[in-house]
Amino acid sequence: MRNRNATAYRFLAPYLLIFSVFWVWPIISSFLISFQATRTVPWRFAPGFNWGRLIGDPAFFNALQNTLLILVIQVPVMIALAMVMAVLLNSPLLKAKGLYRFAFFAPVVVGEVAYSAVFRLMFSLDFGIVNKLLNSVGLPKIDWFSNVTPAMALIMIAVTWRWAGYNAIILLAGMQSIPEDVYEAATLDRVSKLKQFFYITLPLLKPVIVFCLVLSIIGTMQLFTEPFLITERGGPGGGTETLGLLLYRQGFRSLNFGYASAVAYTMAALAIVITLVQLWLTREKQ
Amino acid sequence: MATVTLSNVVKRFGAFEVVHGANIDIKDGEFVVFVGPSGCGKSTLLRMIAGLEDISGGEIAIGGKLVNDVEPADRGIAMVFQSYALYPHMSVEQNLSFGLRMTGNPKADTDRRVKRAAEILRISELMDRRPKKLSGGQRQRVAIGRAIVREPQVFLFDEPLSNLDAELRVQMRVEISRLHKELGATMIYVTHDQTEAMTLADRIVVLRAGHIEQIGRPLDLYDDPDNLFVAGFVGSPKMNFIKAQIIGHDAGGVVVELAGQEKTRITQPLAGAAPETGSKVIVGVRPEHFGSAGEGDTDLVVTIDVVEHLGGTSFLYARTAHGEDVVIQRDAAKVPTTPEVTVSIRKSYLFDEKGLRLR
């Protein structure tokens, strides 16, 4: 048995080596870096330097507030929308389901740069179709990129557009795993379709909904592409700067890797804490 | 309680017809079993009665009222599903009361019905458990309980015992029989298991490929089958079929000779028109209708391949000289010791080439 284990580990060795060097070590290394002052040469060990700065940094709290705001508003809206889409896809009345499934999932496979460019065009002040539509129904144009509130809304719309279909497909898979005869039994029990949704579908989908929420929370905590590309590096004036963007700015523009590492670990810790709280709140009660 | 009448009921899935004009009259309080092999349309027929499947033609009446366009919940029926279809996130008590709660039934009445159902099915001590914490038999009881609380006119059972092991199946069969006596309700029960049908039914409806082959009391089907299919389907082990030919007619009826065995002849009295001499027919013999040599109408030499001892009874799996497989039932004490043995045919059934019974 020991020989067999040794042989197995020899086969695994190349993978384990690469995994350790390029995955495990950077995680450990960045944790160590977060305790070093990295804007001096050579770097020096200063445990309170980055973590102390984090506590008093208005840019960090601005990024944290923006990230949490997106999390609190966008994630529930997106999951609710995904649920509506999944119900539609699951409806026997809907024709051409394959086409809709493809259409809902397509945003995930569209390149981030391409979709960001399209969003910038769509929401452009003078040429964008969104403002043209608003005008056509008598509403004033919105300067999506120069004001903080519209810019935040734009980020939320973009993220929702990109990921709602993905979550809808996961929820649809969950819905389709609920046996049909449970609904038939409810139909015979004179339970309306709406009540079937609230009293059967939703409770039985709870583990899938929690899964989608956890994935979305982790994704939103790391949000980077949309504020970087659509609102031009967290603009206007840091109004859409997220923790991911702050990390990038500190690490790769200011080359302050120690502080960027501290931000990265804060993001990960927040994601873990929020996810744990959520899992605890949605746990199955005996 | 109510009667259930099916008149020329047809079901088509697209252009494909799966039930071809079913006519069944079920009396008030009767226990009727639909039996047949997989794909014969028995579950479809049940689901049409429940209203879970639309009917493509014909009429269904429950309690004398046409229900073709009546919603499933308004038909006065309750259904027990093969997979139990319990709500997995609810306790037993919630499963039983869910329908009544959702429709705003008064709480006192809901509690009374749930308590009564739990007592009838002896599940009162399980009320706080979720379905996953129950055994198969307990789940099935809860599923039946959910039907009882609706206080329906007609109970529909869709293969309710097929997910249970053999021992539990026998136990639940008795329970369902007891329930029928206790409630006195009309019950329609679907199964592919002829033993279940024989033991539970007041009347059996035998189906094959969407056609009703025969309707009758269990022993009537067993003793007087209309055709080869019913004869083969009802009874375990199934009836033996031996190829034969009509070689003449005499005062006693038609004289039949078993294929490949010149001296093995049976004379069958026929009330109806007898087929012509030379016609090919099939002789059906139930395993228990073989006797010892000289006891019956004719003797037959068979070679025994396997003997299955079941205690008091044994089954001999044998071949005729013509190579046809036959199963012979014998008392355990009378099992022959030699491989070649002469048996007699004490009672037989005659079927024409199309499989219809010759009477």
Side-chain angles (χ1 to χ4, degrees):
Chain A
M1 188 55 82
R2 280 185 65 167
N3 269 346
R4 286 181 61 186
N5 282 348
T7 308
Y9 279 114
R10 275 198 288 276
F11 276 108
L12 285 172
Y15 164 75
L16 288 176
L17 187 71
I18 293 168
F19 179 74
S20 304
V21 172
F22 293 103
W23 192 270
V24 179
W25 173 243
I27 290 173
I28 297 168
S29 173
S30 66
F31 184 66
L32 298 175
I33 289 172
S34 75
F35 293 101
Q36 295 181 51
T38 53
R39 299 196 77 181
T40 57
V41 180
W43 294 358
R44 63 183 168 80
F45 182 69
F49 188 75
N50 296 317
W51 292 99
R53 178 181 167 187
L54 200 71
I55 293 163
D57 185 2
F60 169 74
F61 281 103
N62 172 54
L64 179 64
Q65 187 187 331
N66 289 341
T67 306
L68 291 180
L69 194 65
I70 293 169
L71 189 88
V72 168
I73 297 173
Q74 184 268 329
V75 171
V77 169
M78 180 183 68
I79 298 295
L81 187 65
M83 183 66 78
V84 173
M85 291 158 86
V87 170
L88 282 175
L89 283 174
N90 205 30
S91 166
L93 302 173
L94 187 75
K95 306 287 176 211
K97 281 184 186 172
L99 189 68
Y100 283 103
R101 265 203 303 266
F102 169 74
F104 287 170
F105 198 76
V108 179
V109 291
V110 172
E112 290 171 324
V113 176
Y115 114 84
S116 299
V118 171
F119 259 77
R120 282 189 64 81
L121 277 175
M122 282 171 63
F123 285 81
S124 148
L125 178 63
D126 295 319
F127 315 110
I129 190 167
V130 176
N131 275 339
K132 282 200 192 317
L133 283 173
L134 289 176
N135 256 346
S136 70
V137 293
L139 293 170
K141 282 181 181 177
I142 296 173
D143 192 348
W144 296 92
F145 302 100
S146 304
N147 299 311
V148 173
T149 308
M152 278 294 268
L154 175 54
I155 294 293
M156 291 179 200
I157 291 168
V159 177
T160 303
W161 177 84
R162 189 164 164 79
W163 294 106
Y166 175 82
N167 285 292
I169 298 295
I170 297 175
L171 290 170
L172 177 66
M175 270 181 201
Q176 289 176 344
S177 70
I178 300 173
E180 188 55 34
D181 52 16
V182 171
Y183 292 108
E184 288 179 346
T187 303
L188 291 176
D189 274 345
R190 208 189 294 273
V191 181
S192 68
K193 291 281 175 203
L194 193 66
K195 283 185 175 171
Q196 285 181 26
F197 177 75
F198 284 109
Y199 288 93
I200 297 174
T201 308
L202 275 188
L204 292 182
L205 268 188
K206 199 170 93 174
V208 185
I209 296 171
V210 170
F211 174 73
C212 287
L213 280 172
V214 168
L215 279 190
S216 303
I217 288 168
I218 294 169
T220 304
M221 290 306 293
Q222 298 174 343
L223 193 63
F224 172 79
T225 309
E226 286 79 3
F228 186 76
L229 292 174
I230 297 176
T231 52
E232 283 190 289
R233 296 179 181 152
T240 58
E241 185 169 72
T242 57
L243 287 174
L245 210 53
L246 174 71
L247 184 157
Y248 166 80
R249 192 157 58 82
Q250 287 297 326
F252 299 99
R253 291 182 72 84
S254 307
L255 299 178
N256 190 356
F257 291 110
Y259 190 51
S261 296
V263 172
Y265 266 87
T266 309
M267 282 165 62
L270 274 172
I272 290 167
V273 168
I274 294 171
T275 302
L276 286 177
V277 167
Q278 197 210 329
L279 287 175
W280 184 76
L281 287 174
T282 55
R283 74 197 182 281
E284 193 166 312
K285 294 175 184 74
Q286 290 300 317
Chain B
M1 288 181 285
T3 57
V4 178
T5 310
L6 276 69
S7 312
N8 289 316
V9 171
V10 173
K11 178 67 187 175
R12 287 184 211 95
F13 289 108
F16 188 65
E17 193 168 289
V18 292
V19 176
H20 319 282
N23 289 293
I24 307 169
D25 272 316
I26 297 169
K27 296 186 203 85
D28 190 5
E30 197 175 19
F31 198 126
V32 170
V33 175
F34 295 171
V35 70
S38 297
C40 71
K42 55 190 187 298
S43 284
T44 307
L45 211 50
L46 192 80
R47 290 171 62 81
M48 285 196 283
I49 296 171
L52 296 172
E53 293 281 357
D54 292 333
I55 68 171
S56 312
E59 291 182 343
I60 296 178
I62 297 176
K65 185 183 149 203
L66 188 68
V67 294
N68 283 22
D69 299 318
V70 175
E71 287 297 313
D74 298 326
R75 293 189 178 199
I77 53 101
M79 186 156 164
V80 178
F81 293 83
Q82 180 176 0
S83 61
Y84 320 124
L86 298 177
Y87 309 120
H89 55 298
M90 297 184 198
S91 68
V92 169
E93 194 276 333
Q94 289 167 331
N95 261 284
L96 295 181
S97 62
F98 181 61
L100 296 172
R101 280 188 285 118
M102 289 295 108
T103 49
N105 195 57
K107 189 174 181 310
D109 184 53
T110 302
D111 291 346
R112 178 190 63 78
R113 292 197 204 186
V114 169
K115 189 165 176 276
R116 176 172 165 263
E119 280 166 5
I120 289 173
L121 295 161
R122 297 191 289 262
I123 51 172
S124 303
E125 72 283 8
L126 307 174
M127 299 303 264
D128 295 330
R129 290 202 205 162
R130 294 245 177 118
K132 68 179 175 190
K133 302 269 183 189
L134 303 176
S135 68
Q138 288 169 334
R139 282 180 206 179
Q140 194 50 266
R141 280 203 183 90
V142 178
I144 295 171
R146 198 169 55 182
I148 291 175
V149 295
R150 294 200 64 210
E151 299 184 346
Q153 293 183 299
V154 181
F155 282 85
L156 307 175
F157 294 88
D158 189 5
E159 305 219 27
L161 309 185
S162 56
N163 288 343
L164 305 180
D165 63 43
E167 196 181 334
L168 208 50
R169 234 177 5 234
V170 174
Q171 197 185 322
M172 285 304 294
R173 222 157 60 196
V174 176
E175 296 257 346
I176 290 172
S177 233
R178 182 177 63 83
L179 193 71
H180 179 234
K181 282 202 181 76
E182 212 168 314
L183 300 175
T186 309
M187 292 186 174
I188 306 175
Y189 187 105
V190 161
T191 181
H192 62 270
D193 181 346
Q194 61 88 31
T195 313
E196 243 168 71
M198 293 291 282
T199 50
L200 284 170
D202 293 325
R203 277 194 305 155
I204 295 175
V205 178
V206 183
L207 289 136
R208 178 173 61 155
H211 292 282
I212 294 175
E213 294 287 327
Q214 192 172 354
I215 302 177
R217 290 180 300 173
L219 287 181
D220 289 345
L221 296 189
Y222 188 81
D223 291 331
D224 193 15
D226 279 350
N227 55 47
L228 208 60
F229 177 77
V230 175
F233 195 81
V234 177
S236 178
K238 61 183 277 191
M239 186 185 278
N240 299 291
F241 297 118
I242 305 166
K243 285 180 189 144
Q245 191 172 20
I246 293 182
I247 57 163
H249 302 75
D250 64 18
V254 288
V255 182
V256 175
E257 187 176 82
L258 301 191
Q261 301 178 83
E262 279 180 24
K263 288 178 185 166
T264 311
R265 291 174 183 175
I266 300 167
T267 304
Q268 277 270 1
L270 292 182
E276 290 171 10
T277 301
S279 303
K280 296 220 182 314
V281 289
I282 294 162
V283 171
V285 186
R286 293 224 176 263
E288 68 271 26
H289 291 154
F290 285 106
S292 301
E295 274 183 8
D297 301 336
T298 187
D299 284 350
L300 177 69
V301 178
V302 296
T303 309
I304 298 169
D305 290 328
V306 175
V307 179
E308 212 173 62
H309 298 288
L310 299 179
T313 307
S314 295
F315 289 107
L316 319 179
Y317 290 83
R319 271 175 294 117
T320 65
H322 196 55
E324 283 166 313
D325 292 328
V326 289
V327 182
I328 299 162
Q329 185 180 325
R330 275 287 162 88
D331 281 349
K334 292 183 182 170
V335 173
T337 48
T338 52
E340 199 160 274
V341 63
T342 304
V343 293
S344 66
I345 296 173
R346 289 194 278 120
K347 184 180 175 185
S348 60
Y349 302 84
L350 209 57
F351 302 92
D352 68 12
E353 267 193 302
K354 289 178 186 161
L356 292 176
R357 175 86 180 280
L358 294 168
R359 291 181 168 111

